[in-house]
Amino acid sequence: MNVLMPQLGETVAEGKVAIWYKKEGDIVAKNEILVDVETDKAAVEIPSPVEGVIGSILVSEGETVDVGTILAVINNQDADSGSSEQLANVEKKNSTPELTQNNFIAETLKSQKIINSPESGQSGRRLKLSPVVRRLLTEHQIDVNEVLGSGKDGRITRSDVMAFLDNRLTKPSVKPVLQPLGDSNRVPFDRIRRVTAEHMVRSKVTSPHVFQAVEADFSSVDAARSFHQERWRSDNGYSLTYLPFIARATCLALRDFPRLNGSVDGEALILHKGIHLSIAVDLNFKGLVAPVIFDADGLTVMGLARRIHEISMGAREGKLSADELSGGTYTLSNNGSFGTLLTGAIINQPQVGILSIDAIKKRPVVIEDSTGDSIAIRPVGILSQSFDHRAVDGSYSAAFLHKIRTLLEEKDWSAEL
Amino acid sequence: MTKKKKDSSKPGKTQIPGSLKGEPEINTETRLRLYRTMYECRVLEQRAYDLFMQNLVKGTSHLALGQEAIASGFGTAMRPDDYTFCTYRGHNHTYVRGVSMVSILGELMGRECGLLRGKGGSMHLTSVKHGAMGSYAIIGAHLPVAAGAAWSAQYRRTKQVSVCFFGDGTTNIGAFHEALNFAVIWKLPVIFVCENNLYMEYTAIKDVTAVENPAADRASAYGLEAIVIDGNDVDVVYEAANTAFSKAREGGGPTLIEAKTYRHGGHSRADPGKYRPDEELQAWLNKDPIPMYRERLIGLGIEETQLKKVESETDEAIDVATEQARNSPSPSTDIAFIDVWADGGASWRN
Amino acid sequence: MAQLTYREAVSAAIAQEMRRDENVVFLGEDVAAAGGVFKTTAGLLEEFGPERVKDTPISEQAIIGAAMGASMTGLRPIAEIMFSDFFAVCWDLVANQIAKTRYMTDGQCSFPLVLRSANGGGSRFGAQHSQSVENWAMAIPGLKVVAPSNPADVKGLLAASIRDPDPVMFFEQKSLYSVKGEVPDGEHIEPLGVASIVRAGTDVTVAALAAMVPRALKAAEILQDQHGISCEVVDVRCLVPLDTQTILGSVVRTSRFVTVEENPRLCGWGAELASIVAEELFWDLDGPIVRITTPHIPLPSADELEDAVMPSPERIVQNIKKLVD
């Protein structure tokens, strides 16, 4: 019986073998966990489909292979073991001279992909390094991760390396030396940290970020929230926060400002029809993921509240599929739990805007009415957007933020609930 | 125009064309030279055959055993500065220009002492300093080249003549026709000699040619006289040659001569020649030019001792040459990389 | 400096060399009395007479053979083959005889001859009169191969070819015959085996030959003006001997290599250059090597069809843009 690399998401084409729990010759029961496989978005345990003995393990820990590749062969009483498919894959793995031309090329290309990962050894990212770039990186002992690629899809070109070298010559790096000093500890990045780091660098290189903020008065939201809070808690087991209201306001605003619900492609802006909100979720200081609420504009505040809760729990428990972690068109990043004022978030590529919600606190505000100016105490929070200046200009962004603020301050939120 | 109406597959009596009648007698010195030349050609070619059978001559070899009279007759009639062009069946034609036996045997055996140091082989024997302007392995290619050399002689007004030897098979290829027409219109000093040995390669020429005399019957197409001679009678060949040379040197233009002959062996060493009828072969062996001429010379009063002297000297010379050639080393592999260009180099890039 | 057309430069070169050396002679079909079907040799018969400038019958094998025979016996003949496609009719004399005889005879003879012909398309003559056959000649060891792109190079390279002691295949591009250019006065010689950088640049090396050179230059202008891409255009000029040093030196600086070839795709001269660059400059390349050629088809004759298949400035621009992006 062949154990195949599963498809870990509709759009995912490969996966990496992380940990084998069995070795060749071991007995395995049906449904016993054989191996952990992962992509840059999700990790999955693969159970054994049959009872039997592990005949061969064909893909080692750390190797990345295409979906459908045979990972292991289990010898069991089943008649369909020992197929020619199995033989073909054994052939591929062993790279013997009897390989046909096509197999050899496929094998070479595959191993190219693996070798192509940069010197620091990332998973899931394939860098296309041209011969001249490889040579220059080696000759000058440059860590490829330090070089920003200005070519298509972030490719590092020769001029990028030359520019890096020029920079290095004129401004000595202030990064710590490769070997830790006596009183420092070197902590290697885990998978999530690596992926996050790579994404953040790439996002900053790709999008010209502009930071813009508005203050919003959350009185109206608060009124609706407190009114329904107790019932909500008892029905659902968790609190009704500000986030679903902000999410609703954002969806409505995005309908009026569709350019912020888009992606830049070369010299064009793709406007996405659906509004799919990515909600940034912190995993207990271990990393960030941004699961997606698809067609968020079709949900009410309550619907959004439930969905947000589901995906946050799912993210923290590591239960989300790869498909649930990608495909968003705009991101909300809720940073307020530690009382921060503003956050200049980094855009979640390939989106063009991200809204950071920081602490909502009681503040004195000036109220203007027919009788004159007075001071009142209101719950106020700052909503700060980072937008991609290739897609929109400041005035568009400002108008968008104004719309959100207006909705938050003037909408009849009770009616929504 | 003289036209033969005999069965061209059988040897006939010596027939001297009308144009040759009344020529002065050939002197004894020349006759001896004619004999010696034929004998030397025979011995050399036979030795080439023997060495091939001993696997010392590699590749292929095309022997002209039996056709010595043509090479000898023309070779003796020409000037040292005339140009000759022949085919891959050209050992004799090259030798009669004064090239040494050892250099020919050496080339056949691929040795350092070879005429071309092993770079050309049996089919390309050339000695420019002797006027042997090459043996050509593509049928018909050298006919226009011979015409070109004649044009050069004409342009430079040197009265040199270009002689071009080829087989009956050549008369059916395009280059033959182009060259003849070309030579006639520019009145070039070139003699085209067709050695008709009755077989193209393995096929009888009469089966694949529209006319009976493959060269002579085409002559009129180019405004030339049809000349057919007995190619095994060296006196006849010599006299026909002289006439053609004179004509050419006096600006009379080209001549086409068809010389009937026969090769004793197959087309090449790979060919035992089994496609030829036994009686035909025997009839022609009976008309072997060398014993025939020997008999004629004795009949004319030349001392047999003189002939025997020629023979023994030659028999000795071939052994000496063979020994020298066999002791010559293989050429250094360096020479494979030189002489593509006139400056000796072979590079196509910097 | 004089303004000469490409075709005038041909007769100017031949005349220059025939005046200089009485062993230079010239033969071909319709070349003497008619001055050539492309009028490339007008005036030569009048100046040098019928012994040196000769009309031949339609006999390509005889023409080439005669040139070979004359060149091995003291003359320096120039033979014209009217359309380069016709080399197929006499290819034995070129490839088997002329190219090889020096080598086979251990250097006993040389062939100081020039075989010149009208090569290439763009004139709507159809598939049998429009081929680019430089590659046929390049593939045979023992032949030098020249293909100039402008009148000055025609004069200089043809003169050099006539003086060269080896056989030279001189390919004139028939669609360029009317193009005018500056040609230096007096005796003008351009050495064989030297490529010419006709436009300096920094982003990509573009190697082109004959009629493709003006198209590459046009594309380079568009690329600079509209896309900020700086092309270095190299006129290869001579395929054998090949100036690899100039081309390789350029690719080291730009790290990208593109060829523009009029010939059909397979085994074009650009394939050989691409192979050399890939082998010797692998570690200097910042992108794949791209060959821009006519597709591997016989050339159609109608205007729009011929124009659509031969590399145009627009197609060159597109390909280079894609490479550099």
Side-chain angles (χ1 to χ4, degrees):
Chain A
M1 181 101 209
N2 295 332
V3 180
L4 305 182
M5 171 60 77
Q7 178 134 35
L8 298 176
E10 267 170 24
T11 54
V12 176
E14 28 174 72
K16 185 172 101 164
V17 170
I19 305 169
W20 280 107
Y21 295 105
K22 293 285 178 185
K23 55 187 193 305
E24 287 178 6
D26 283 351
I27 295 171
V28 64
K30 183 167 174 171
N31 290 334
E32 199 182 336
I33 301 302
L34 277 179
V35 59
D36 278 354
V37 299
E38 59 186 34
T39 66
D40 60 355
K41 297 191 191 298
V44 171
E45 293 163 337
I46 312 274
S48 173
V50 292
E51 177 191 325
V53 174
I54 308 289
S56 28
I57 295 200
L58 301 174
V59 181
S60 316
E61 287 179 5
E63 267 192 70
T64 300
V65 294
D66 288 343
V67 166
T69 303
I70 302 177
L71 301 177
V73 181
I74 300 176
N75 295 328
N76 64 337
Q77 264 57 16
D78 224 49
D80 69 356
S81 59
S83 62
S84 58
E85 197 189 336
Q86 172 192 358
L87 290 171
N89 259 293
V90 172
E91 243 190 314
K92 257 201 236 177
K93 173 110 181 39
N94 291 341
S95 294
T96 59
E98 295 95 77
L99 282 176
T100 63
Q101 181 77 344
N102 287 337
N103 266 350
F104 173 77
I105 289 167
E107 189 59 28
T108 308
L109 284 177
K110 219 188 276 175
S111 55
Q112 270 296 83
K113 274 197 211 159
I114 297 167
I115 290 167
N116 254 347
S117 58
E119 283 66 16
S120 68
Q122 278 195 24
S123 66
R125 177 191 178 199
R126 285 173 307 291
L127 281 183
K128 278 191 201 169
L129 298 175
S130 70
V132 68
V133 166
R134 284 172 180 264
R135 174 171 65 81
L136 290 170
L137 292 176
T138 309
E139 274 174 15
H140 297 279
Q141 293 181 329
I142 301 169
D143 180 348
V144 65
N145 291 308
E146 293 183 34
V147 183
L148 299 180
S150 68
K152 189 171 176 188
D153 296 335
R155 182 178 88 84
I156 298 172
T157 67
R158 187 177 86 152
S159 21
D160 292 332
V161 182
M162 301 312 291
F164 175 87
L165 282 172
D166 282 343
N167 225 25
R168 190 159 80 168
L169 285 174
T170 56
K171 285 183 244 158
S173 172
V174 291
K175 286 171 83 96
V177 296
L178 292 172
Q179 290 305 315
L181 301 172
D183 61 353
S184 306
N185 196 20
R186 180 184 169 83
V187 182
F189 283 172
D190 64 12
R191 180 177 58 81
I192 289 187
R193 196 80 252 139
R194 275 202 308 269
V195 170
T196 306
E198 182 271 327
H199 181 93
M200 296 307 171
V201 169
R202 190 161 46 86
S203 182
K204 273 297 177 123
V205 165
T206 305
S207 301
H209 283 57
V210 176
F211 182 67
Q212 202 176 51
V214 285
E215 258 180 351
D217 182 338
F218 281 85
S219 320
S220 174
V221 171
D222 229 6
R225 208 167 72 99
S226 1
F227 187 76
H228 288 91
Q229 187 64 277
E230 213 179 296
R231 244 259 308 278
W232 181 273
R233 265 207 206 108
S234 70
D235 284 348
N236 296 289
Y238 55 88
S239 297
L240 186 60
T241 65
Y242 288 104
L243 186 52
F245 295 89
I246 299 170
R248 180 73 183 136
T250 303
C251 287
L252 292 170
L254 282 174
R255 282 200 192 143
D256 289 345
F257 293 87
R259 290 182 72 91
L260 283 162
N261 194 55
S263 298
V264 175
D265 177 27
E267 286 172 11
L269 180 65
I270 314 254
L271 304 176
H272 302 300
K273 290 199 179 74
I275 295 176
H276 313 307
L277 282 188
S278 307
I279 307 290
V281 176
D282 180 83
L283 304 175
N284 300 325
F285 297 159
K286 294 218 170 81
L288 266 181
V289 287
V292 180
I293 301 173
F294 290 96
D295 296 311
D297 60 329
L299 296 171
T300 60
V301 174
M302 292 196 292
L304 285 165
R306 282 193 200 98
R307 205 64 199 107
I308 287 168
H309 179 81
E310 273 167 27
I311 62 183
S312 307
M313 294 311 295
R316 293 204 177 93
E317 289 160 19
K319 285 196 171 136
L320 296 175
S321 73
D323 286 339
E324 289 169 296
L325 291 169
S326 61
T329 58
Y330 190 88
T331 300
L332 296 182
S333 174
N334 193 5
N335 294 301
S337 36
F338 292 96
T340 48
L341 184 66
L342 297 168
T343 303
I346 295 182
I347 292 169
N348 186 7
Q349 296 294 335
Q351 299 167 8
V352 297
I354 180 168
L355 192 69
S356 172
I357 303 118
D358 291 83
I360 296 168
K361 272 195 187 137
K362 287 187 192 155
R363 292 221 202 99
V365 301
V366 172
I367 309 291
E368 292 167 349
D369 63 29
S370 46
T371 64
D373 297 342
S374 55
I375 292 197
I377 295 176
R378 296 285 173 88
V380 171
I382 295 182
L383 303 169
S384 29
Q385 178 174 239
S386 301
F387 69 87
D388 184 332
H389 210 313
R390 294 175 301 166
V392 302
D393 300 332
S395 50
Y396 190 91
S397 162
F400 169 75
L401 289 172
H402 178 76
K403 178 80 189 178
I404 294 181
R405 192 247 302 269
T406 305
L407 284 168
L408 287 170
E409 291 179 354
E410 293 172 18
K411 197 167 164 48
D412 182 359
W413 290 107
S414 304
E416 282 269 323
L417 292 165
Chain B
M1 269 200 309
T2 327
K3 202 156 195 284
K4 295 280 176 197
K5 277 190 171 54
K6 61 175 188 163
D7 175 5
S8 31
S9 70
K10 286 211 163 61
K13 296 195 327 231
T14 301
Q15 303 239 6
I16 299 173
S19 56
L20 290 190
K21 290 201 165 82
E23 291 291 323
E25 268 286 309
I26 304 169
N27 65 38
T28 307
E29 196 191 321
T30 305
R31 286 213 149 99
L32 276 171
R33 194 169 146 211
L34 287 169
Y35 182 73
R36 175 187 281 276
T37 310
M38 286 200 294
Y39 192 83
E40 286 172 350
C41 283
R42 171 66 56 93
V43 163
L44 176 64
E45 201 78 310
Q46 187 66 48
R47 185 53 53 95
Y49 173 81
D50 296 337
L51 291 171
F52 190 92
M53 293 319 254
Q54 294 169 42
N55 208 33
L56 286 167
V57 170
K58 304 291 171 64
T60 186
S61 214
H62 304 79
L63 301 179
L65 293 166
Q67 299 181 214
E68 296 82 359
I70 298 169
S72 171
F74 275 91
T76 308
M78 67 176 67
R79 264 170 35 179
D81 65 345
D82 285 333
Y83 300 120
T84 49
F85 295 80
C86 59
T87 68
Y88 48 82
R89 198 181 304 284
H91 305 162
N92 293 343
H93 291 298
T94 307
Y95 177 72
V96 304
R97 303 304 316 272
V99 171
S100 70
M101 286 179 174
V102 63
S103 65
I104 292 178
L105 292 177
E107 185 59 28
L108 267 56
M109 295 195 282
R111 303 295 170 107
E112 174 65 40
C113 71
L115 188 56
L116 312 171
R117 285 199 291 174
K119 288 181 82 172
S122 162
M123 292 198 280
H124 297 292
L125 296 182
T126 305
S127 183
V128 169
K129 69 179 187 223
H130 291 106
M133 305 306 281
S135 307
Y136 291 75
I138 308 284
I139 303 288
H142 61 301
L143 272 71
V145 184
W151 173 39
S152 167
Q154 183 191 69
Y155 181 83
R156 289 177 289 109
R157 292 166 163 70
T158 57
K159 296 202 187 293
Q160 290 162 289
V161 175
S162 181
V163 190
C164 187
F165 300 96
F166 52 93
D168 40 272
T170 303
T171 63
N172 290 321
I173 206 167
F176 168 85
H177 301 277
E178 288 194 32
L180 281 176
N181 181 61
F182 202 83
V184 168
I185 57 171
W186 288 7
K187 258 187 149 177
L188 298 178
V190 55
I191 307 171
F192 293 105
V193 183
C194 175
E195 298 180 67
N196 183 357
N197 61 19
L198 312 186
Y199 289 84
M200 167 190 117
E201 286 186 24
Y202 303 170
T203 309
I205 194 70
K206 67 175 158 55
D207 293 341
V208 294
T209 306
V211 294
E212 195 185 323
N213 301 299
D217 289 345
R218 267 86 177 246
S220 65
Y222 304 104
L224 290 173
E225 189 186 345
I227 302 172
V228 181
I229 61 171
D230 180 351
N232 278 16
D233 186 330
V234 72
D235 284 340
V236 167
V237 174
Y238 178 75
E239 283 176 354
N242 270 332
T243 306
F245 277 116
S246 305
K247 178 175 180 192
R249 283 191 224 286
E250 280 145 35
T255 307
L256 173 63
I257 296 172
E258 177 172 336
K260 303 281 196 200
T261 183
Y262 203 81
R263 53 173 157 80
H264 293 175
H267 162 69
S268 67
R269 286 328 312 139
D271 169 34
K274 293 264 152 66
Y275 41 84
R276 304 190 293 185
D278 287 337
E279 332 79 66
E280 180 190 86
L281 176 57
Q282 198 48 55
W284 280 94
L285 286 174
N286 292 342
K287 212 182 159 272
D288 185 328
I290 296 171
M292 233 175 50
Y293 200 59
R294 194 178 199 274
E295 220 178 284
R296 180 184 300 169
L297 293 188
I298 291 169
L300 288 171
I302 290 174
E303 301 270 340
E304 196 177 358
T305 49
Q306 277 197 289
L307 302 177
K308 284 209 172 120
K309 184 158 170 283
V310 164
E311 289 150 17
S312 61
E313 277 170 10
T314 308
D315 292 341
E316 222 180 278
I318 194 68
D319 285 338
V320 169
T322 307
E323 188 61 23
Q324 272 185 298
R326 288 180 70 152
N327 290 333
S328 177
S330 287
S332 149
T333 49
D334 292 346
I335 68 167
F337 302 99
I338 60 170
D339 276 325
V340 170
W341 308 123
D343 65 3
S347 180
W348 51 273
R349 61 171 285 186
N350 58 14
Chain C
M1 279 282 194
Q3 273 269 327
L4 289 182
T5 59
Y6 193 104
R7 65 162 54 83
E8 285 165 346
V10 173
S11 47
I14 298 176
Q16 173 185 291
E17 295 307 303
M18 287 182 82
R19 283 175 207 133
R20 191 179 161 268
D21 180 355
E22 63 176 11
N23 287 318
V24 178
V25 290
F26 175 44
L27 73 162
E29 296 163 17
D30 302 321
V31 299
V37 293
F38 293 105
K39 295 279 176 277
T40 44
T41 53
L44 292 177
L45 175 64
E46 290 77 0
E47 184 174 346
F48 300 103
E51 272 198 45
R52 297 183 73 187
V53 181
K54 301 183 83 75
D55 280 327
T56 67
I58 302 178
S59 306
E60 277 75 16
Q61 293 180 55
I63 293 169
I64 304 294
M68 178 179 173
S71 70
M72 67 198 295
T73 54
L75 301 189
R76 299 189 89 95
I78 305 164
E80 177 181 299
I81 294 295
M82 197 187 286
F83 285 78
S84 63
D85 313 66
F86 304 168
F87 274 118
V89 177
C90 53
W91 198 238
D92 173 61
L93 271 310
V94 177
N96 287 326
Q97 311 304 331
I98 289 173
K100 298 181 163 55
T101 301
R102 177 175 171 78
Y103 183 87
M104 291 194 301
T105 61
D106 194 30
Q108 288 184 44
C109 32
S110 312
F111 303 90
L113 52 79
V114 176
L115 306 179
R116 41 168 295 275
S117 63
N119 189 42
S123 307
R124 329 309 186 189
F125 281 130
Q128 293 178 348
H129 290 71
S130 303
Q131 291 175 91
S132 292
V133 310
E134 312 93 333
N135 308 307
W136 301 2
M138 194 185 186
I140 311 290
L143 299 173
K144 295 186 177 171
V145 182
V146 179
S149 70
N150 60 79
D153 281 350
V154 166
K155 179 146 190 247
L157 291 171
L158 184 50
S161 301
I162 295 167
R163 293 191 200 186
D164 199 287
D166 290 307
V168 179
M169 308 278 286
F170 192 84
F171 292 101
E172 297 153 18
Q173 221 288 353
K174 60 178 79 74
S175 71
L176 296 178
Y177 276 140
S178 308
V179 167
K180 277 205 167 101
E182 293 283 326
V183 178
D185 294 323
E187 193 178 85
H188 178 54
I189 294 267
E190 287 278 352
L192 299 190
V194 177
S196 173
I197 297 180
V198 291
R199 181 190 170 105
T202 55
D203 295 332
V204 53
T205 299
V206 183
L209 190 71
M212 295 298 105
V213 174
R215 296 182 189 209
L217 286 171
K218 182 94 213 289
E221 241 180 76
I222 297 172
L223 285 161
Q224 181 68 73
D225 293 340
Q226 296 181 19
H227 306 284
I229 295 173
S230 161
C231 297
E232 180 148 290
V233 180
V234 182
D235 182 351
V236 180
R237 302 204 306 177
C238 199
L239 297 180
V240 181
L242 184 63
D243 184 1
T244 52
Q245 294 312 304
T246 297
I247 297 164
L248 294 178
S250 172
V251 178
V252 166
R253 280 181 281 106
T254 65
S255 67
R256 293 185 188 86
F257 186 56
V258 167
T259 65
V260 185
E261 308 164 50
E262 186 181 328
N263 43 259
R265 181 82 189 176
L266 294 186
C267 306
W269 56 265
E272 183 61 44
L273 276 181
S275 145
I276 295 171
V277 169
E279 187 177 340
E280 299 182 23
L281 292 186
F282 181 80
W283 296 109
D284 289 282
L285 287 172
D286 202 16
I289 298 170
V290 174
R291 293 177 58 210
I292 303 167
T293 73
T294 302
H296 203 64
I297 53 172
L299 225 50
S301 74
D303 285 28
E304 295 81 10
L305 296 179
E306 200 184 22
D307 287 343
V309 302
M310 287 175 63
S312 60
E314 291 71 36
R315 181 145 71 89
I316 299 169
V317 166
Q318 258 171 42
N319 276 283
I320 292 180
K321 217 168 140 312
K322 194 164 136 204
L323 169 65
V324 175
D325 273 349

